[in-house]
Amino acid sequence: MPNEMVSSSTETNNTPSCESGQIVFERVSKTFATNIIPAVDQVSVKIPAGDLVVLLGPSGCGKTTLLKMVNRLYEPDSGEIWMCGKEIHTLPVNELRRQIGYVIQQVGLFPHMTIQKNISIVPHLLGWEEKRINDRLEMLMELIGLPASYLPRYPRQLSGGEQQRVGLARALAADPEILLMDEPFAAVDAINRERLQFELIDLHSKLKKTILFVTHDVEEAFRLAKRIIVMRAGKLVQYGTPLELVTQPANDFIKELVGSSNILRKLSLVNVNSILRAKENQSLDVSSSQQVARNSAVLRPEDDLRSVVSLLLCSGQESLPVKDSEDHLLGTVGYADLRGMLIANLPSE
Amino acid sequence: MNYLVNNFDVVAELFLQHLQLTLAVIFFSLLIGIPLGLLLARISWLRGPVMSVLGIIYTIPSLSFFVLLIPIFGLGTRPAIIALTAYAQLLLIRNWLVGLTTIEPAVLEAAQGMGLSGFQRFWQIEFPLALPMLLAGIRLVALSSIGIGTIAAYINAGGLGVLLFQGVITANFDKIFTGALAVTVLSFAANYFIRYLEQKAELRIYGKRI
């Protein structure tokens, strides 16, 4: 047995992981001692395994509090949180935390440790063998796109964006099923933020981790999320896909959030992937047989619908093909889809 | 300088005694100060009262403090070590506490969120990050103990103070000069040695200062 472990690949097989990364909140409430109003008020929500779910809301809405109750940095006053079929409070707290990757805005890299030591700290705690840790390090550095020559460096020698990438690698080190991210890109400059966002989308599609991502940035939320949980004053206001939030806002707060009267703004919030998924759900033919003109513009799943409109206008076509980064055709999106899915469904003012 | 040349072994022995006294004070003050400082870092409302008490202790004149302890602990090094350790707490704990409480909160939150236990957080994160400040505190303790320790010769604790007191009583300027010179050498050596350790600890955290 031990020999097998040494020779095993970077893929983990004896991590105390669970079969699924589903998180379920059941009537979770939390009131801080310094406050009368609850920070989180009776929130019940189910996070499907493998989804990237964004907690969105203004500051003080309780989104960070909800997040930190998953790795028990805060304890709920009432309610239950289930992970992989276990209520999280039945596990020893540090064992639970080692199963959950945690990324925060200020990164919090350990300044006296090299990048290598920073990343490998949880695998060491879990008693991994050196060989396995080194394989994992190599794989993670490739994943976050930093050269292996960075491993002996110290955090202070890295730029802010690079530090946040290392923070992500550190959170992923022990191959957790669940990743908690608390405004991880808020302190990064705009150009790097966008790059990191697309890297995260890419990474999520490769790794299929359950990611719970906190932000107050509407664009960021819609860009990243498969589903969005909108919170306000400790309460869950709406839980749905970006497309659902835009087309069926639950109340005025959501309408204002997505820009009720501004169609272009709404288009900018929804991406091509949402449309493809919605077409799938309505069992429409995703890869419609429409002839794709040669040399025509190509859409990417992460493109927002506003750029789709401009590409459609420029190309003069009725629809355009969607291809992934490896040039596989994923389907087509055109005026008909936009009209059908989005604009027709917009609530009348 | 004649005194030093003719009585080198006497001076050397007193020098070693003084060093021993200082090392003992550092040892015992760390034994008390490290856990006490850690406690104050965790329980912030304790800081005010405890630091005031340490501050009051620090203001007791050294000679009277030594003499006060004689009825309980007798003459010799014991009362000297106890008094010097009591003085040292203010210097040590103040620095140690600053070291512990100025660690970036995000670093501690990350450590906690990753599942490091309380002891692992202390040993792997807090201790190395607060070490430069702790060493600065140890340096102050060493220097103040070397200085005040000369007076401890008055209660039979030995050390280089013996030369000073004897020199004053017998009006032997050479003896006084030798004692003063030896104390100075010891202070400088202690200062440079501990400062060197401090810089090594700082270098690991901050890198080369430009």
Side-chain angles (χ1 to χ4, degrees):
Chain A
M1 269 305 185
N3 286 336
E4 277 179 28
M5 263 181 53
V6 174
S7 61
S8 74
S9 71
T10 53
E11 286 308 309
T12 60
N13 34 30
N14 69 338
T15 327
S17 63
C18 39
E19 58 282 3
S20 83
Q22 176 178 273
I23 310 169
V24 182
F25 296 89
E26 269 183 62
R27 295 187 312 282
V28 174
S29 293
K30 166 86 182 169
T31 308
F32 287 106
T34 51
N35 225 325
I36 317 158
I37 307 154
V40 170
D41 194 2
Q42 297 279 324
V43 170
S44 297
V45 67
K46 189 183 280 184
I47 317 289
D51 269 11
L52 201 169
V53 175
V54 171
L55 281 162
L56 175 66
S59 47
C61 72
K63 55 193 191 300
T64 295
T65 308
L66 191 67
L67 182 91
K68 287 185 179 181
M69 284 194 276
V70 178
N71 63 357
R72 291 183 62 185
L73 290 176
Y74 294 147
E75 299 288 4
D77 297 332
S78 64
E80 292 172 348
I81 302 169
W82 292 77
M83 206 182 92
C84 332
K86 276 185 193 150
E87 213 288 325
I88 60 167
H89 296 88
T90 60
L91 291 167
V93 63
N94 287 322
E95 200 179 294
L96 172 83
R97 287 173 183 163
R98 288 169 198 177
Q99 294 176 33
I100 300 173
Y102 186 45
V103 184
I104 54 178
Q105 182 186 333
Q106 306 87 341
V107 196
L109 293 179
F110 305 134
H112 59 300
M113 293 184 186
T114 60
I115 303 309
Q116 169 157 12
K117 283 192 86 177
N118 262 288
I119 297 179
S120 57
I121 196 158
V122 175
H124 272 299
L125 292 177
L126 294 172
W128 287 21
E129 307 208 3
E130 279 310 312
K131 163 108 176 49
R132 187 171 169 206
I133 293 177
N134 289 336
D135 288 349
R136 183 78 188 156
L137 274 167
E138 200 180 304
M139 186 274 212
L140 286 167
M141 291 302 273
E142 205 182 300
L143 191 72
I144 58 169
L146 290 182
S149 62
Y150 274 44
L151 286 173
R153 296 198 189 175
Y154 283 86
R156 60 177 177 271
Q157 296 168 305
L158 272 56
S159 72
E162 288 169 341
Q163 287 188 20
Q164 195 50 279
R165 285 187 181 85
V166 174
L168 188 60
R170 182 173 69 171
L172 289 168
D175 206 11
E177 294 294 319
I178 291 169
L179 206 53
L180 305 178
M181 306 184 80
D182 189 3
E183 308 212 18
F185 307 143
V188 183
D189 63 89
I191 295 166
N192 268 304
R193 188 184 313 140
E194 194 165 314
R195 190 178 300 162
L196 284 165
Q197 286 164 352
F198 285 118
E199 280 175 22
L200 183 67
I201 294 170
D202 194 40
L203 199 126
H204 178 251
S205 70
K206 278 184 203 153
L207 300 178
K208 303 284 176 214
K209 307 276 182 202
T210 308
I211 300 179
L212 201 53
F213 188 106
V214 164
T215 186
H216 61 258
D217 179 340
V218 180
E219 278 77 18
E220 180 170 73
F222 277 80
R223 183 171 292 156
L224 296 176
K226 185 160 178 197
R227 287 163 211 277
I228 298 176
I229 298 170
V230 183
M231 286 184 73
R232 188 191 193 189
K235 289 198 165 65
L236 188 151
V237 183
Q238 188 170 5
Y239 179 34
T241 63
L243 190 62
E244 283 165 1
L245 256 60
V246 167
T247 56
Q248 302 144 42
N251 59 18
D252 289 346
F253 178 66
I254 308 278
K255 275 185 204 166
E256 203 178 312
L257 203 71
V258 297
S260 58
S261 57
N262 187 339
I263 284 181
L264 282 179
R265 158 129 173 114
K266 287 184 172 177
L267 288 173
S268 75
L269 290 176
V270 181
N271 63 24
V272 169
N273 209 17
S274 309
I275 295 291
L276 288 180
R277 271 203 304 268
K279 282 170 86 173
E280 255 168 38
N281 288 344
Q282 296 174 19
S283 51
L284 292 175
D285 189 7
V286 177
S287 52
S288 71
S289 55
Q290 284 166 334
Q291 280 295 314
V292 175
R294 274 186 200 176
N295 304 329
S296 76
V298 169
L299 303 174
R300 297 286 176 205
E302 65 269 16
D303 283 345
D304 66 66
L305 297 184
R306 193 165 63 173
S307 46
V308 172
V309 171
S310 67
L311 282 170
L312 283 167
L313 287 171
C314 292
S315 68
Q317 316 253 351
E318 275 300 304
S319 68
L320 289 171
V322 184
K323 288 182 178 175
D324 64 12
S325 51
E326 273 130 35
D327 231 32
H328 297 306
L329 186 67
L330 300 173
T332 59
V333 168
Y335 287 121
D337 300 312
L338 300 185
R339 221 172 283 125
M341 298 273 162
L342 197 67
I343 296 166
N345 284 335
L346 287 180
S348 51
E349 290 301 315
Chain B
M1 284 307 251
N2 278 338
Y3 182 84
L4 178 60
V5 176
N6 298 332
N7 302 279
F8 187 78
D9 48 345
V10 175
V11 176
E13 201 197 323
L14 292 174
F15 188 91
L16 281 179
Q17 275 179 11
H18 211 102
L19 183 64
Q20 275 174 5
L21 180 73
T22 308
L23 289 175
V25 171
I26 292 174
F27 175 77
F28 286 110
S29 26
L30 288 174
L31 211 61
I32 301 166
I34 288 198
L36 188 55
L38 204 56
L39 188 75
L40 296 187
R42 300 277 186 270
I43 308 169
S44 53
W45 62 264
L46 270 177
R47 284 176 211 166
V50 171
M51 294 313 283
S52 324
V53 170
L54 295 179
I56 291 166
I57 293 175
Y58 198 73
T59 60
I60 303 173
S62 48
L63 196 58
S64 50
F65 200 175
F66 289 136
V67 172
L68 266 172
L69 291 172
I70 293 174
I72 313 165
F73 300 102
L75 289 167
T77 50
R78 259 184 36 191
I81 291 173
I82 290 167
L84 290 174
T85 303
Y87 285 137
Q89 292 311 310
L90 180 72
L91 305 173
L92 188 73
I93 291 180
R94 202 172 47 191
N95 275 270
W96 177 225
L97 198 56
V98 169
L100 288 171
T101 50
T102 52
I103 297 172
E104 203 192 323
V107 167
L108 295 176
E109 192 191 322
Q112 196 183 2
M114 288 164 70
L116 275 76
S117 68
F119 178 75
Q120 285 162 343
R121 286 206 295 278
F122 170 70
W123 187 242
Q124 297 186 33
I125 312 296
E126 292 182 279
F127 183 76
L129 291 178
L131 188 58
M133 282 309 288
L134 179 66
L135 284 166
I138 294 174
R139 192 158 54 94
L140 289 177
V141 169
L143 295 182
S144 80
S145 299
I146 291 169
I148 307 172
T150 53
I151 297 165
Y154 191 76
I155 55 162
N156 251 355
L160 293 164
V162 171
L163 295 176
L164 300 177
F165 280 111
Q166 285 177 357
V168 169
I169 291 164
T170 59
N172 184 342
F173 177 76
D174 217 16
K175 216 171 182 175
I176 296 174
F177 181 75
T178 305
L181 185 72
V183 170
T184 310
V185 169
L186 184 57
S187 301
F188 268 83
N191 185 48
Y192 277 100
F193 176 64
I194 303 173
R195 181 76 195 112
Y196 168 75
L197 296 179
E198 243 175 278
Q199 279 166 341
K200 277 194 80 164
E202 278 173 6
L203 194 70
R204 196 157 61 129
I205 304 168
Y206 307 109
K208 279 204 174 70
R209 295 261 171 107
I210 305 156

